[in-house]
């Protein structure tokens, strides 16, 4: 179809007495088209009165669209199966024109930021090769919105502790803090609400106050608002991670920092500048960092298990054997684990970044080969029995070897006999029990009671007939 400009040109050339053949040659159209324009003598485009192939199936298309959950491929298959003759392109263009399953596009806005006004932070999962095996990591990224300075790190998980560690490293890398930090409504920071109504977790709000910034969140679904930090994720995945392997988490994040230094010093076409040069201006507007930045840590309470280890994040860290059964305080930092029993006793381990079900033992916590612990002191009940009745020492030794009860409970029961029953019936019953190898204390108690009854409770049998 000829455009309005072409139609206007045809009429003007015809008014100048240019032949139809010459007009068609100059404009690159057919002479038939030139004749139709001259016949109509109008520059207005003619209206199309063409019946759409999909129009007779409109109601059926609407029904199938809901049934097939908006999948136009399935809608087209069902229509063809029902006898409709139309291509998939005809169906999709009909749906676009009539707004079936298509929302009208909205123009994207443009956000301008002053130096030191905003930093955007977000995370994204990526796959990489670490220590010879493929694994998924969480990539945390931060971007200064004015200069486009980029900083990111990789973590096995990204919880509140990791978030504070990353933001501390990012602010140190930038050498200052912006007025606000934009986040993507992450539960790590958000207590309730979203967008402008977002309320941060008090712990994270206090963290922001320490560096002089506040957390803000964009409206849910408004990805353009955080485009400064969203855009580099594709660059990270297809540039930094492509073809690289890493030996450990330390090696990974060391290479990340070197790559950030390189990228921030490279010219960017979309901003027509080098981020490092823009940062020279923005750095003057950043809020200075505190004179002392405390180390980020996570504090937990643990009980030392019977093997002399403390469990943390599926890994186990050794402590002195004297701490078995004691409650300790575990302080987890970026690269170390501190286990403290009291003010004077502290054990420090290198932190394992992820849950690997490992046992970490320090050399001083491992007993020497062939070393055997000294025999424990006698039970306090045994000492009390032997002190009160030395004659029972042999029976106590046999009881410890042959009793069916827990030895502590058996000694407590025998000590009760010593304290409650007279000496002579007790010793006599014990000697008789030892002679027959009887170590059932319930039967021994019955034997003592029979002797007590016979010797101490003589019943009056009545007057003597003589």
């Amino acid at each position: 179809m000829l455009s309005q400009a072409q139609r206007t040109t045809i009429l003007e050339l015809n008014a100048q007495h240019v032949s139809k053949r010459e007009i068609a040659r100059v404009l690159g159209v057919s002479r038939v088209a030139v004749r139709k324009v001259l016949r109509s003598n109008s520059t207005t485009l003619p209206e199309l009165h063409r019946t759409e192939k999909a129009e007779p199936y409109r109601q059926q298309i609407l029904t199938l669209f809901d049934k097939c959950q908006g999948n136009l491929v399935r809608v087209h298959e069902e229509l063809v199966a029902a006898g409709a003759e139309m291509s998939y392109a005809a169906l999709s263009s009909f749906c676009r024109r009539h707004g079936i399953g298509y929302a009208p596009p909205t123009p994207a806005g443009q956000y301008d930021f002053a130096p030191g006004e905003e930093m955007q932070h977000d995370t994204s999962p990526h796959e990489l090769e670490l220590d010879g095996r493929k694994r998924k990591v969480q990539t945390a990224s931060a971007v200064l919105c004015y200069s486009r300075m980029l900083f990111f790190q990789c973590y096995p998980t990204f919880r509140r502790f990791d978030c504070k560690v990353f933001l501390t490293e990012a602010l140190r890398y930038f050498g200052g803090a912006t007025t606000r930090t934009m986040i993507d409504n992450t539960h790590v920071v958000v207590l309730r609400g979203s967008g402008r109504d977002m309320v941060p977790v008090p712990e994270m709000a206090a963290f922001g106050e320490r560096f002089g910034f506040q957390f803000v969140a964009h409206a849910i679904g408004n990805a353009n608002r955080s485009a400064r930090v969203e855009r580099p994720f594709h660059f990270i995945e297809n540039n930094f991670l492509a073809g690289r392997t890493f030996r450990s988490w330390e090696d990974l994040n060391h290479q990340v920092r070197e790559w950030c230094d390189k990228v921030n010093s490279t010219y960017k076409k979309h901003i027509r500048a080098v981020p490092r040069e823009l940062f020279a201006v923005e750095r003057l507007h950043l809020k200075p960092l505190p004179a002392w930045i405390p180390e980020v840590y996570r504090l937990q309470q643990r009980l030392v298990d019977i093997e002399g280890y403390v469990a943390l994040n599926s890994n186990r860290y050794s402590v002195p054997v004297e701490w078995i059964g004691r409650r300790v305080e575990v302080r987890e930092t970026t690269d170390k684990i501190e286990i403290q029993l009291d003010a004077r006793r502290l054990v420090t381990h290198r932190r394992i970044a992820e849950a690997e079900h490992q046992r970490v033992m320090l050399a001083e916590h491992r007993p020497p080969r062939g070393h055997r612990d000294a025999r424990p002191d006698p039970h306090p009940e045994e000492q009390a029995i032997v002190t009160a009745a030395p004659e029972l020492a042999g029976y106590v030794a046999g009881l410890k070897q042959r009793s069916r009860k827990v030895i502590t409970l058996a000694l407590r029961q025998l000590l009760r006999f010593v304290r409650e029953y007279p000496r002579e019936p007790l010793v006599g019953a014990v000697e008789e029990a030892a002679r027959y190898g009887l170590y059932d204390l319930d039967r021994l108690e019955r034997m003592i009671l029979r002797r007590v009854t016979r010797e101490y409770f003589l019943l009056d049998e009545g007057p003597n007939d003589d």
Side-chain angles (χ1 to χ4, degrees), residues 116-402:
E117 181 181 359
E118 180 173 301
M119 178 180 75
Q120 294 183 2
H121 161 58
D122 200 3
T123 60
S124 178
H126 291 108
E127 285 191 353
L128 51 80
E129 184 174 337
L130 183 66
D131 194 20
R133 60 190 180 96
K134 293 283 187 180
R135 60 155 303 133
K136 183 175 289 186
V137 302
Q138 293 294 328
T139 303
S141 176
V143 176
L144 295 180
C145 293
Y146 174 78
S147 63
R148 311 297 180 91
M149 282 282 288
L150 169 67
F151 178 77
F152 75 95
Q153 295 278 269
C154 298
Y155 301 91
T157 59
F158 200 76
R159 293 173 287 183
R160 196 162 298 149
F161 169 75
D162 305 297
C163 181
K164 292 194 291 184
V165 169
F166 169 73
L167 290 178
T168 301
E169 292 297 321
L171 295 177
R172 281 176 171 158
Y173 182 80
F174 296 139
T178 57
T179 303
R180 61 176 180 263
T181 297
M182 174 65 65
I183 59 172
D184 188 19
N185 295 286
T186 172
H187 68 281
V188 174
V189 178
V190 176
L191 176 64
R192 62 177 181 274
S194 62
R196 294 185 177 181
D197 300 326
M198 186 274 293
V199 178
V201 177
E203 178 184 352
M204 299 305 295
F207 176 82
E209 290 177 3
R210 177 185 301 161
F211 294 97
F213 70 86
Q214 62 176 352
F215 288 101
V216 295
H218 62 72
I220 295 178
N222 186 13
N224 290 331
R225 180 63 182 85
S226 59
R228 294 285 200 277
V229 72
E230 293 287 354
R231 180 172 181 170
F233 282 127
H234 182 270
F235 185 40
I236 292 171
E237 183 174 5
N238 294 278
N239 186 291
F240 174 71
L241 296 179
R244 281 188 171 91
T245 59
F246 311 96
R247 299 187 304 272
S248 62
W249 288 101
E250 292 79 7
D251 177 49
L252 166 60
N253 286 321
H254 179 71
Q255 293 191 41
V256 165
R257 187 177 288 264
E258 291 181 345
W259 187 81
C260 288
D261 292 338
K262 176 183 175 182
V263 168
N264 291 328
S265 302
T266 306
Y267 178 81
K268 305 296 180 186
K269 292 188 295 184
H270 60 283
I271 61 174
R272 296 184 176 89
V274 177
R276 183 70 67 180
E277 296 176 355
L278 296 178
F279 178 68
V281 177
E282 185 169 23
R283 186 168 188 175
L284 301 176
H285 297 81
L286 295 177
K287 296 184 178 180
L289 299 178
W292 176 71
I293 301 177
E295 188 175 21
V296 178
Y297 67 89
R298 181 164 44 193
L299 199 62
Q300 302 181 53
Q301 301 289 329
R302 289 289 188 273
L303 281 176
V304 181
D305 63 22
I306 195 170
E307 297 181 15
Y309 289 91
V310 171
L312 184 68
N313 301 330
S314 299
N315 299 308
R316 301 174 70 191
Y317 301 89
S318 68
V319 296
V321 294
E322 297 81 10
W323 296 11
I324 292 178
R326 305 286 296 277
R327 183 174 295 276
V328 294
E329 185 178 80
V330 181
R331 182 185 296 262
E332 180 182 5
T333 64
T334 309
D335 54 0
K336 61 184 178 181
I337 301 293
E338 295 180 345
I339 307 173
Q340 187 170 10
L341 180 64
D342 51 36
R344 292 181 176 84
R345 287 179 283 185
L346 176 69
V347 173
T348 302
H349 288 271
R350 183 184 63 84
R351 177 176 178 263
I352 300 177
E354 55 186 324
E356 298 180 353
H357 303 280
Q358 291 189 16
R359 291 191 179 191
V360 182
M361 172 173 280
L362 298 180
E364 57 267 26
H365 300 159
R366 183 182 291 110
R369 185 179 298 274
H371 173 75
R372 180 175 297 179
D373 294 337
R375 292 182 178 274
D377 296 334
H379 295 273
E381 293 84 358
E382 181 181 356
Q383 293 181 348
I385 294 171
V386 175
T387 302
E391 303 93 334
L392 305 185
Y395 187 79
V396 170
L399 180 67
K400 290 171 62 177
Q401 295 179 357
R402 302 176 60 180

